Amino acid sequence: MAFESLGNRLSGIFKKLKGQATLTEKNMDDMLQEVKKALLEADVNYTVVSSFIEEIKEEAIGQKVLSKVSPGEMVVKIVYDKMEKLLGEGDNDICFNMTGKPTVIMMVGLQGTGKTTSAAKLANLFQTKNKKKVLLGALDIYRPAAVEQLTNLGKKCDPIVDTYSDLNKSPVDIAKDAYQKALNEHYDILILDTAGRLEIDEKLMKELQDIQKNVEVNETLLTVDSLIGQNATNVALKFNQEIKITGLVMTKLDGDSRGGAALSIKKLTGIPIKYVGSGEKIDDLENFFPDRMASRILGMGDIVSLVEEIQSKVDEKQAEKTSRRMMQGQFDLVDMLSIMKQMNKLGPLSKIMALVPNAPKLSSEQIDQAQIALKRTEVIINSMTKEERRRPEMIKANRKLRIASGSGTTPKDVNNLLESYEQMKKQMSNYKNNPMMARFFRK
């Protein structure tokens, strides 16, 4: 996951600083040198890093609080504020047309940056989060199967997103026809997936300029591959010289990239990051919030995104039913399995842990073990009879042997599951007797 290495480094630096009784210019300089080194190793532009460090130092000294507050708290607050500003503070979302006309978004970028995939992911995001009716326009008539790829991706959305194209026409004419269709059929948003190139050329830029002249484009989003590091800035600058870019979509932030491009690009180009892609699934794209990203990088979690993730992916009716049973003291293995299935919907454990404030850092091995344990739990419960799931207390030695055999596990695994269930049931009982939690469960 991008920024994981940088986040771990910065957390370690701040933890060391918290051990200091006071903050002096000496230990401040030492700390800033470590922060500088960590940022450079994360592939953040050198000029950006130098400016960033200077701003932190000036503000820390300017506040004249070096000996009056917790060193760690003060520095983390300053670093957080400066990092949010660096990432492009404020609301970076697009503005939807309120005139009855469709909002037109033109996707541009080099080949291999995930442009077509991002177009479909954006369509899915707009219809699920913003409740918009979306049309995809397939303008890439040059790359083999590009139209088919976009159409298939549109079918992966829920509900399916329509795709318009016509291989017998030019990209400009396809764009005009797609706009007319969107207008006539009352689509809220039209996303135009344009052709890419292995490198920027005059013919490509002329085509993109012609599309902008013939269709009322509201947003031109450039997809940038975070894996190419600082080259992402050069690509953005070159595109922006030829066609006005209104925002960036940073792709592949779930890869092994060090994340430096995201920390540098707004400062160096003036173009805000508007969306980030963090996986291969159709819903692995999200709005970019500088304050939330700064919080994640500094190991402070992102509770707002966690709540939004839960609200969008958890089955509210099932969750309400389970919580109601908890309040009535009826928590059983069926409810336990329901909770685990809801958790699985939230995505990889590593992604969820990154959103939890002060969550312990888990190694990839620990995360893999946790995922295996969740799967094992589901298999064991599914190997039980309906009565055993409702009345776990009836599961004795012979039944444990049968369940273990049926699930391909051991009696010890079954025992561990039952112990976990008892602990969970006890916790649920505590929640039920807590007035605040009781009020939450009754909602």
Side-chain angles (χ1 to χ4, degrees):
M1 180 181 175
F3 298 123
E4 185 173 357
S5 178
L6 175 60
N8 290 339
R9 286 283 303 277
L10 294 176
S11 293
I13 293 168
F14 297 141
K15 186 176 181 181
K16 189 190 303 181
L17 190 65
K18 288 176 182 177
Q20 306 284 337
T22 58
L23 189 62
T24 64
E25 283 204 48
K26 173 68 171 63
N27 57 27
M28 180 75 174
D29 285 337
D30 291 343
M31 181 275 300
L32 289 177
Q33 281 303 311
E34 289 191 55
V35 171
K36 183 176 184 178
K37 185 178 179 182
L39 291 171
L40 290 173
E41 288 179 0
D43 203 28
V44 183
N45 176 274
Y46 182 83
T47 304
V48 172
V49 173
S50 298
S51 173
F52 181 70
I53 296 298
E54 280 303 311
E55 286 182 19
I56 294 170
K57 187 172 182 179
E58 282 180 25
E59 182 153 336
I61 294 173
Q63 287 185 6
K64 297 180 181 178
V65 291
L66 296 181
S67 61
K68 296 179 182 178
V69 300
S70 162
E73 290 176 2
M74 186 195 79
V75 173
V76 170
K77 176 66 170 65
I78 294 173
V79 173
Y80 169 82
D81 289 342
K82 297 300 177 186
M83 188 166 286
E84 181 189 351
K85 181 181 178 183
L86 187 65
L87 288 164
E89 61 189 340
D91 182 8
N92 292 335
D93 207 351
I94 68 166
C95 295
F96 298 113
N97 263 343
M98 304 301 288
T99 60
K101 295 181 180 180
T103 301
V104 181
I105 301 169
M106 185 167 79
M107 305 292 293
V108 301
L110 297 179
Q111 281 185 14
T113 58
K115 176 172 54 60
T116 299
T117 305
S118 295
K121 286 181 176 180
L122 266 178
N124 186 69
L125 180 72
F126 290 143
Q127 71 170 9
T128 54
K129 182 179 177 181
N130 304 105
K131 310 304 178 188
K132 302 292 184 180
K133 183 181 179 184
V134 187
L135 175 67
L136 289 166
L139 276 55
D140 187 354
I141 59 174
Y142 312 109
R143 181 167 61 88
V147 174
E148 184 181 356
Q149 181 193 3
L150 186 65
T151 302
N152 289 336
L153 286 167
K155 290 177 180 177
K156 288 184 178 181
C157 299
D158 186 17
I160 291 172
V161 172
D162 295 328
T163 303
Y164 176 82
S165 190
D166 188 337
L167 294 176
N168 296 315
K169 293 186 177 182
S170 70
V172 174
D173 286 337
I174 296 170
K176 290 195 291 186
D177 289 349
Y179 180 79
Q180 196 60 48
K181 177 182 174 66
L183 189 63
N184 294 343
E185 299 180 23
H186 307 290
Y187 283 89
D188 300 305
I189 298 172
L190 169 63
I191 300 176
L192 301 174
D193 180 36
T194 66
R197 296 287 192 278
L198 292 175
E199 58 184 30
I200 297 171
D201 63 38
E202 187 176 336
K203 184 179 178 182
L204 169 66
M205 289 303 160
K206 176 69 168 57
E207 184 173 288
L208 297 177
Q209 289 166 356
D210 287 343
I211 293 169
Q212 287 184 329
K213 288 175 184 175
N214 284 275
V215 178
E216 191 179 328
V217 176
N218 302 100
E219 296 272 350
T220 300
L221 302 182
L222 172 69
T223 56
V224 180
D225 186 340
S226 64
L227 296 177
I228 67 174
Q230 294 188 38
N231 270 340
T233 298
N234 297 328
V235 171
L237 288 170
K238 286 179 182 177
F239 263 93
N240 202 38
Q241 284 174 358
E242 303 294 333
I243 54 171
K244 177 63 178 174
I245 302 296
T246 59
L248 303 170
V249 180
M250 295 289 296
T251 63
K252 305 177 188 177
L253 270 177
D254 58 318
D256 297 325
S257 73
R258 290 167 290 177
L263 282 166
S264 307
I265 203 162
K266 173 61 169 67
K267 177 83 171 179
L268 295 174
T269 67
I271 306 169
I273 302 172
K274 296 202 172 186
Y275 301 93
V276 290
S278 57
E280 297 180 0
K281 294 180 181 178
I282 199 71
D283 58 355
D284 285 334
L285 185 109
E286 57 187 277
N287 291 81
F288 181 78
F289 297 99
D291 55 340
R292 300 186 195 182
M293 185 58 74
S295 184
R296 291 188 208 181
I297 295 171
L298 298 179
M300 297 156 65
D302 181 359
I303 199 68
V304 177
S305 291
L306 179 59
V307 170
E308 288 180 351
E309 194 81 3
I310 292 170
Q311 288 176 335
S312 66
K313 294 184 177 179
V314 167
D315 184 331
E316 287 186 26
K317 289 184 178 178
Q318 183 60 46
E320 185 179 347
K321 179 182 176 183
T322 302
S323 65
R324 193 162 53 242
R325 285 179 51 77
M326 290 175 191
M327 287 301 299
Q328 295 168 353
Q330 298 176 338
F331 185 72
D332 57 26
L333 288 171
V334 176
D335 300 312
M336 182 178 180
L337 183 59
S338 173
I339 290 172
M340 289 185 167
K341 284 182 176 179
Q342 298 284 2
M343 287 173 60
N344 279 331
K345 288 182 182 179
L346 297 180
L349 185 59
S350 56
K351 179 180 177 181
I352 300 305
M353 292 295 284
L355 303 179
V356 179
N358 301 313
K361 297 293 181 183
L362 299 181
S363 66
S364 57
E365 184 180 349
Q366 288 173 314
I367 288 172
D368 288 343
Q369 288 175 349
Q371 297 283 20
I372 290 170
L374 282 173
K375 185 63 179 175
R376 187 191 299 125
T377 295
E378 184 174 351
V379 171
I380 292 174
I381 295 176
N382 285 335
S383 297
M384 298 175 183
T385 65
K386 287 184 179 180
E387 190 177 10
E388 286 168 344
R389 293 175 205 167
R390 291 297 183 193
R391 296 175 54 214
E393 66 276 4
M394 71 185 295
I395 302 175
K396 305 301 180 186
N398 288 340
R399 291 179 183 269
K400 289 176 184 177
L401 285 170
R402 193 203 80 248
I403 293 167
S405 176
S407 60
T409 59
T410 66
K412 183 181 179 182
D413 293 326
V414 179
N415 272 330
N416 289 339
L417 167 61
L418 293 172
E419 288 174 9
S420 296
Y421 160 72
E422 289 297 335
Q423 291 175 357
M424 204 169 181
K425 185 178 180 181
K426 186 176 180 180
Q427 287 178 333
M428 296 306 171
S429 178
N430 290 338
Y431 289 156
K432 186 185 76 168
N433 296 323
N434 182 311
M436 291 298 291
M437 293 305 294
R439 186 171 63 181
F440 170 77
F441 279 128
R442 282 195 293 270
K443 285 183 179 180

